[in-house]
């Protein structure tokens, strides 16, 4: 290296990991007054990759500092490489820190090379550069590799301002081809500071539409199910369809409500998600176009903070076919989300909303993280994020938590 090139050096060290490597390397550099401009380290299967961007002051540029590092690496049986960095190149790199930063999350039952290849190609085609790749899901034993599991890889990417809506459309189409979920979020302060999560109930927290279950008991199952499906797909006005379905329940014995509540199937991952959120201090709420009776049942079962749903009118032990008060439709869900956020003193960017139907789109659009969960095609296409392959607890990955974080939190609280 000539004198000008020696001032900034990229040092890459790789080999078998052991305690004390980073300490020993930086102690050598410290002895020569070296400044560290950047540092990154990763360990995969006990193999270390350590990178340091070092600024050598004038007195260190002709010193044996690099030779000492070379000897130390040889002593450890590791590979070390020195790359001079021109000042102009460094300044160009510094200027890049103002570019937009995004988190791309790949979720599936397993992660394959094809999935990563297709995702990273899409990232590159959109002018984005990958800064960091991090596995959030836990390690998997070879004996369990063939079993349906859960896997998540997070990519931290950066680039100039791009059309995030177009990028999401690309990822949505790709997710359908690969049978995975791919989410893209702006990497900002709010992503790491969510405080509120609101859920739709039917086909979100539970794997059923309660009104359909009530209709079966009333002998009008097929009629109600057809209206429900059309309403959830956005083909019918929610309020009118809801009133029409409830009217068909007139005369149903109210005693069946408890029986239905007890047999409701809880969605995969719901209990783990809510219990984890509760331990972490999040506020949770059900905002449902369904019925208060079942929302309150889930509130007790899962430990959710508050419930807003429709009060089914009962007189003389019979369902009247009417609801009491204002119907909780899409507009009302959005209003309730705003009210809860205001009461909690938080920004809507700090809120997460989860739902599957067309009537959930208003609240999904308002929340900083709106997630269409196992949703109808119309809802997936219009929501900013969609989750279909894993359970509800995969939302923890989208917040940025790893399996290790969650396990440690569980162990700490126990």
């Amino acid at each position: 290296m000539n004198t000008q090139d020696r001032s900034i050096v990229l040092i890459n060290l790789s080999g078998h990991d052991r305690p004390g490597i980073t300490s020993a390397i930086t102690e050598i550099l410290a002895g020569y007054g070296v400044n560290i401009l950047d540092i990154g380290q990763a360990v995969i299967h006990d193999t270390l990759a350590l990178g340091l961007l070092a600024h050598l002051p004038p007195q260190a540029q002709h010193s044996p500092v690099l030779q000492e590092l070379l000897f130390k690496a040889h002593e450890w049986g590791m590979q070390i490489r020195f790359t001079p960095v021109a000042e102009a190149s460094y300044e160009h790199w510094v200027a890049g820190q103002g570019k937009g930063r995004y988190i791309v999350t790949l979720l599936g039952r397993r992660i394959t090379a094809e999935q990563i290849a297709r995702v990273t190609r899409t990232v590159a085609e959109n002018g984005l550069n990958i800064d960091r790749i991090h596995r959030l899901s836990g390690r998997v034993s070879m004996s369990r590799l063939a079993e349906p599991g859960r896997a998540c890889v997070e990519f931290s990417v950066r680039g100039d301002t791009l059309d995030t809506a177009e990028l999401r459309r690309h990822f949505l189409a790709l997710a359908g081809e690969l049978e995975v979920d791919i989410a893209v979020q702006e990497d900002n302060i709010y992503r790491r500071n969510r405080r509120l999560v609101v859920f739709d109930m039917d086909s979100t927290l539970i794997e059923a539409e309660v009104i359909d279950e009530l209709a079966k008991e009333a002998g009008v199952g097929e009629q109600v199910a057809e209206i429900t499906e059309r309403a959830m797909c956005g083909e019918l006005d929610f309020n009118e369809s809801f009133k029409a379905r409830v009217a068909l329940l007139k005369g149903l014995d109210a005693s069946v409500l408890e029986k239905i509540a007890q047999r409701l199937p809880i969605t995969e991952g719901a209990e783990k998600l809510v219990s984890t959120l509760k331990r972490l201090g999040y506020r949770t709420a059900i905002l449902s176009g369904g019925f208060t009776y079942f929302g309150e049942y889930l509130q007790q079962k899962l430990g959710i903070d508050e419930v807003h749903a429709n009060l089914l009118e009962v007189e003389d032990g019979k369902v009247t076919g009417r609801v009491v008060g204002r119907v909780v439709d899409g507009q009302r869900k959005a209003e309730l989300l705003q009210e809860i956020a205001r009461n909690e003193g938080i920004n809507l960017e700090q809120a997460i909303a989860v739902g599957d139907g067309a009537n959930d789109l208003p609240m999904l659009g308002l929340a900083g993280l709106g997630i269409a969960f196992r949703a109808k095609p119309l809802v997936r296409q219009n929501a900013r994020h969609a989750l279909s392959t894993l359970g509800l607890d995969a939302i923890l990955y989208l917040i940025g938590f790893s399996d290790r974080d969650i396990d440690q939190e569980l162990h700490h609280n126990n």
Side-chain angles (χ1 to χ4, degrees), residues 1 45 107 114 121 184 259 308 341 390 404 411:
M1 296 183 212
H45 194 60
L107 309 100
E114 180 187 7
R121 184 192 311 160
V184 55
K259 181 172 68 172
H308 302 272
L390 300 179
R404 182 177 181 180
H411 178 75

Side-chain angles (χ1 to χ4, degrees), residues 41-291:
Q41 177 175 310
V43 177
I44 300 178
H45 194 60
D46 294 330
T47 299
L48 171 73
L50 171 65
L52 302 102
L53 190 60
H55 173 241
L56 280 60
Q59 68 272 18
Q61 291 177 26
H62 297 283
S63 71
V65 57
L66 301 186
Q67 188 175 15
E68 280 194 41
L69 293 175
L70 185 63
F71 287 155
K72 180 59 72 172
H74 180 73
E75 178 186 321
W76 289 329
M78 302 182 78
Q79 300 293 319
I80 193 166
R81 186 174 73 252
F82 306 106
T83 306
V85 177
E87 186 174 334
S89 174
Y90 172 74
E91 292 299 339
H92 177 75
W93 174 76
V94 170
Q97 67 186 340
K99 293 183 178 181
R101 302 189 66 87
Y102 304 88
I103 297 294
V104 177
T105 310
L106 171 62
L107 309 100
R109 292 297 176 181
R110 67 182 67 183
I111 298 297
T112 67
E114 180 187 7
Q115 293 163 3
I116 292 177
R118 298 284 297 279
V119 168
T120 53
R121 184 192 311 160
T122 301
V123 166
E125 289 172 350
N126 281 271
L128 297 169
N129 189 63
I130 299 171
D131 281 341
R132 180 180 58 84
I133 302 175
H134 181 49
R135 173 178 52 83
L136 297 182
S137 51
R139 298 172 183 172
V140 180
S141 167
M142 288 298 294
S143 64
R144 297 174 54 197
L145 210 55
E147 300 175 9
R150 42 186 286 132
C152 178
V153 176
E154 180 184 270
F155 304 83
S156 176
V157 304
R158 60 180 165 84
D160 293 321
T161 303
L162 79 161
D163 185 344
T164 53
E166 183 64 21
L167 180 61
R168 287 188 179 105
R169 281 193 288 273
H170 288 165
F171 278 141
L172 184 62
L174 184 58
E177 289 180 39
L178 299 176
E179 298 183 340
V180 295
D181 293 313
I182 307 168
V184 55
Q185 307 174 58
E186 187 177 352
D187 189 10
N188 57 29
I189 191 171
Y190 294 116
R191 179 181 178 266
R192 298 180 294 277
N193 192 27
R194 311 288 189 197
R195 302 308 310 152
L196 167 67
V197 188
V198 300
F199 300 94
D200 173 45
M201 179 173 66
D202 297 52
S203 297
T204 300
L205 283 175
I206 55 174
E207 294 178 336
E209 291 286 334
V210 169
I211 198 165
D212 291 347
E213 299 301 310
L214 290 166
K216 290 174 189 175
E217 296 290 340
V220 290
E222 290 186 11
Q223 297 165 261
V224 168
E226 181 183 352
I227 300 172
T228 300
E229 180 66 19
R230 293 180 65 192
M232 290 299 100
C233 290
E235 297 175 15
L236 297 174
D237 174 76
F238 179 83
N239 276 8
E240 294 305 314
S241 67
F242 180 72
K243 290 175 182 177
R245 286 176 287 167
V246 174
L248 290 170
L249 303 178
K250 184 177 180 180
L252 178 66
D253 195 306
S255 63
V256 304
L257 271 64
E258 182 179 358
K259 181 172 68 172
I260 291 172
Q262 291 178 351
R263 73 178 189 228
L264 291 175
I266 305 297
T267 298
E268 174 193 1
E271 291 173 290
K272 179 179 179 181
L273 172 62
V274 176
S275 64
T276 302
L277 293 172
K278 191 178 181 70
R279 290 198 305 272
L280 294 171
Y282 283 69
R283 184 77 179 175
T284 56
I286 292 174
L287 307 185
S288 174
F291 301 111

Side-chain angles (χ1 to χ4, degrees), residues 203 355-357 364 371-380 383 386-388:
S203 297
D356 74 299
L364 299 187
I371 302 166
F373 179 73
R374 297 182 182 176
K376 311 297 185 293
L378 172 73
V379 183
R380 286 202 306 271
L387 186 62
S388 300

